[in-house]
């Protein structure tokens, strides 16, 4: 290697290291902004791919169906809340009154048990002794404490998603222009595959959320729970978060039912466990039959890491980020770097023979 090649290689490595450092710095310091932008991309993908899918089935151009896919969800949500808002509001107020009562009830009964006091002390020490654990606990608890901030971020992501959905080719073309001409077509293919994967994951997740909400509400109603509707809505919304969401959705139902008696708590626990099993082993495999499964350990690691760095937004968007990352890694690293040289060598060997 001559001096010119060595200098060129050193310069490329230095520029690459600088870019990686800048990207890492931007992610750490502006994580919430970047995740909100990613949330806007998710919304745009959902609207655009839904219009494309309906257009493929009906033969109508997707640009004419895009307003339908944007307006229809808001109309359906508006109709749902128009009929259920009074009940949800009343049950929500009742739930807020019962949770402190349940907390007092649980503390009184734990204090009367030989191991109850020690358990309470261990939980307190766990959240205060280790700063990392405390950070994750605070990130998870922010589901209930940062509603206003999260709502503002959602509104911003929604408007961003609408702008992106109207003319996505403009932004894709701008992103593709940043790569060398020889790789632009491949990058466009990878971005298309990423959009389809995210769209499929979102549609499957939304359908799963709806079914979880229906099953939970009907189950609690059959058990005689008077807060079945609001608890079902909570379970449906929190089921968007893999791994952690079902546990968070079970907590208010458990706190409400424990006041009635341990037998009610047992029945509610069995119900939530059964719904979770149906969702994990029946609904999700059916809805995501054509998609690659997300490794649970990878998703959980991403949730903990992003939750510790940026809070609730990281926990919410960890799973779709893993979906996008898996597409990019499979396409750009596994196929283009690891497998392509083997294919080239095999082709050369066949041509020689």
């Amino acid at each position: 290697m001559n001096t010119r090649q060595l200098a060129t290689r050193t310069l490329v490595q230095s520029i690459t290291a600088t870019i990686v450092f800048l990207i890492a710095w931007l992610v750490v310091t502006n994580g919430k902004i970047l995740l909100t932008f990613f949330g806007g991309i998710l919304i745009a993908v959902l609207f655009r791919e839904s219009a494309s899918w309906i257009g493929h089935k009906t033969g109508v151009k997707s640009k004419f169906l895009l307003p339908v896919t944007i307006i229809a969800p808001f109309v359906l949500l508006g109709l749902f809340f128009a009929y259920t808002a009074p009940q949800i509001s009343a049950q929500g107020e009742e739930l807020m009154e019962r949770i402190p009562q349940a907390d007092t009830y649980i503390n009184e009964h734990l204090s009367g048990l030989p191991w109850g006091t020690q358990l309470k002390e261990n939980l307190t020490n766990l959240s205060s002794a280790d700063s990392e654990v405390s950070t994750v606990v605070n990130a998870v608890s922010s589901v209930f404490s940062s509603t206003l901030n999260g709502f503002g971020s959602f509104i911003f992501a929604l408007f961003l998603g609408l702008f992106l959905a109207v003319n996505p080719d403009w932004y894709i073309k701008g992103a593709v222009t940043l790569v060398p001409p020889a790789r632009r077509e491949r990058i466009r293919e990878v971005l298309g595959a990423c959009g389809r994967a995210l769209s499929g994951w979102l549609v499957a997740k939304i359908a799963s959320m709806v079914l979880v909400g229906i099953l939970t509400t009907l189950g609690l109603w059959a058990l005689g729970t008077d807060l079945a509707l609001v608890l079902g809505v909570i379970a449906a919304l929190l089921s968007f978060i893999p791994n952690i969401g079902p546990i968070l959705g079970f907590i208010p139902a458990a706190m409400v039912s424990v006041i009635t008696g341990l037998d009610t708590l047992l029945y509610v626990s069995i119900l939530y466990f059964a719904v979770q099993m149906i969702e994990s082993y029946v609904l999700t495999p059916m809805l995501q039959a054509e998609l690659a499964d997300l490794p649970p350990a990878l998703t959980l690691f991403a949730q903990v890491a992003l939750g510790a760095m940026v809070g609730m937004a990281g926990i919410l968007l960890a799973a779709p980020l893993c979906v996008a990352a898996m597409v990019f890694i499979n396409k750009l690293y596994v196929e283009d770097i690891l497998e392509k040289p083997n294919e080239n060598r095999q082709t050369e060997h066949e041509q020689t023979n």
Side-chain angles (χ1 to χ4, degrees):
M1 181 181 296
N2 57 36
T3 305
R4 183 181 180 85
Q5 291 176 335
L6 179 61
T8 303
R9 180 177 179 181
T10 303
L11 178 62
V12 171
Q13 291 176 344
S14 301
I15 294 175
T16 303
T18 303
I19 293 174
V20 171
F21 173 78
L22 289 175
I23 292 175
W25 178 77
L26 286 173
V27 170
V28 173
T29 57
N30 302 283
K32 291 184 178 180
I33 298 175
L34 294 176
L35 286 176
T36 303
F37 180 76
F38 180 72
I41 294 176
L42 280 179
I43 295 173
V45 165
L46 178 63
F47 290 150
R48 195 73 190 185
E49 291 295 329
S50 299
S52 298
W53 183 83
I54 297 174
H56 178 72
K57 296 295 183 181
T58 60
V60 181
K61 292 184 178 181
S62 60
K63 64 179 181 180
F64 298 118
L65 294 171
L66 183 60
V68 177
T69 59
I70 293 175
I71 297 173
F74 294 100
V75 173
L76 293 176
L77 284 175
L79 292 174
F80 172 77
F81 284 110
Y83 286 101
T84 61
Q87 299 180 39
I88 292 178
S89 177
Q91 293 186 16
E93 293 178 0
E94 182 67 21
L95 179 63
M96 291 299 101
E97 294 177 0
R98 291 192 190 182
I99 287 180
Q101 298 174 6
D103 183 61
T104 303
Y105 177 86
I106 294 172
N107 286 328
E108 291 177 353
H109 280 71
L110 283 178
S111 301
L113 298 174
W115 47 269
T117 303
Q118 185 63 36
L119 177 62
K120 291 169 60 178
E121 293 178 357
N122 291 337
L123 291 175
T124 303
N125 294 333
L126 178 65
S127 61
S128 59
D130 191 338
S131 58
E132 294 183 359
V133 174
S134 178
T135 302
V136 176
V137 171
N138 290 336
V140 174
S141 64
S142 65
V143 176
F144 305 102
S145 63
S146 60
T147 304
L148 185 60
N149 186 27
F151 183 73
S153 299
F154 172 75
I155 294 298
F156 176 77
L158 178 61
F159 278 98
L160 180 63
L162 293 176
F163 285 118
L164 293 174
V166 171
N167 191 8
D169 293 335
W170 187 22
Y171 304 98
I172 293 175
K173 182 179 179 180
V176 170
T177 306
L178 300 177
V179 301
R183 298 285 296 169
R184 288 177 182 175
E185 187 61 31
R186 177 58 174 168
I187 295 299
R188 189 180 294 275
E189 293 177 3
V190 173
L191 290 176
C194 185
R196 290 189 295 272
L198 288 173
S199 174
W201 182 87
L202 273 173
V203 171
K205 179 57 66 175
I206 292 173
S208 177
M209 290 169 61
V210 173
L211 293 174
V212 166
I214 292 174
L215 292 175
T216 303
T217 302
L218 293 176
L220 291 173
W221 176 77
L223 292 175
T225 304
D226 55 347
L227 302 179
L229 181 58
V230 68
L231 292 174
V233 171
I234 292 173
L237 294 176
L238 292 178
S239 66
F240 181 83
I241 310 173
N243 304 317
I244 302 174
I247 299 175
L248 294 176
F250 170 70
I251 291 175
M255 296 185 69
V256 169
S257 61
V258 73
I259 302 177
T260 308
L262 293 179
D263 54 343
T264 305
L265 176 61
L266 176 62
Y267 297 145
V268 171
S269 301
I270 294 174
L271 170 65
Y272 273 75
F273 179 78
V275 171
Q276 181 59 27
M277 290 299 100
I278 294 173
E279 191 272 337
S280 299
Y281 297 104
V282 179
L283 298 179
T284 299
M286 289 175 58
L287 295 170
Q288 296 182 335
E290 299 180 358
L291 303 177
D293 293 331
L294 279 178
L298 175 63
T299 307
L300 182 60
F301 173 79
Q303 287 175 325
V304 173
L306 291 174
M309 287 192 297
V310 296
M312 195 58 219
I315 297 176
L316 284 171
L317 298 177
L321 277 172
C322 287
V323 172
M326 288 178 63
V327 173
F328 278 103
I329 292 172
N330 287 330
K331 296 290 185 181
L332 298 179
Y333 179 68
V334 176
E335 295 182 5
D336 291 358
I337 296 178
L338 296 182
E339 296 179 353
K340 193 170 183 178
N342 296 331
E343 295 176 358
N344 292 337
R345 285 196 295 268
Q346 184 178 359
T347 302
E348 291 176 359
H349 178 72
E350 292 175 354
Q351 292 176 352
T352 303
N353 294 336

